[in-house]
Amino acid sequence: MYLYRELEMDETDRIKDIDGTCFIKNAWRMNQETGKYELVEINWQDDDLPNGLGWHVKHLRRTFEHGGTVFGCFDGDLLVGFATLEANPFGSKEQHVLLEQLYVSKDYRGKGIGRELIELCKEQARKLNASRIRLYAGSSEDT
């Protein structure tokens, strides 16, 4: 059984527990001739969180400083997943909020942790009176 809860600002360094390792077999790429996206084989091994740990710690701190929420998933004392939801609505009617980060450790993927973290973000978005959550995802087939 996993424990889900909000993280505090002084826990930002806990994301070093996340194993961001992933192998990307296929990714979506724009075909320059047709102008359409196609799934292509890239066989890319990433051994860390995209952009590196420092980038993510910096952005987590910024989320906290701007009143956003960070949810974590724990297996015992080990942080195995996290998601961040920005607090500042945007859009023509301020109806959108940004889910900036969502990561689950390699050995914990496929267990519903990401889904539960998104549900927590959806509940928080409702509290902010947002009707939509925006996210910008990587181009890998699995994402």
Side-chain angles (χ1 to χ4, degrees), residues 86-117:
E86 300 299 317
N88 302 317
F90 61 95
S92 61
K93 299 176 185 171
E94 295 191 344
Q95 72 274 31
H96 307 291
V97 288
L98 178 65
L99 190 158
E100 185 181 36
Q101 299 185 66
L102 172 64
Y103 292 97
V104 176
S105 282
K106 178 185 174 195
D107 293 339
Y108 290 84
R109 294 176 191 149
K111 300 177 186 291
I113 293 170
R115 184 173 308 137
E116 182 62 28
L117 289 167

Side-chain angles (χ1 to χ4, degrees), residues 12-37:
T12 54
D13 291 336
R14 302 270 322 248
I15 67 166
K16 71 181 180 331
D17 293 345
I18 301 292
D19 180 355
T21 302
C22 69
F23 175 74
I24 301 170
K25 179 173 176 50
N26 299 312
W28 293 97
R29 298 290 187 256
M30 173 75 74
N31 180 314
Q32 297 302 318
E33 293 175 16
T34 65
K36 295 181 181 181
Y37 281 95

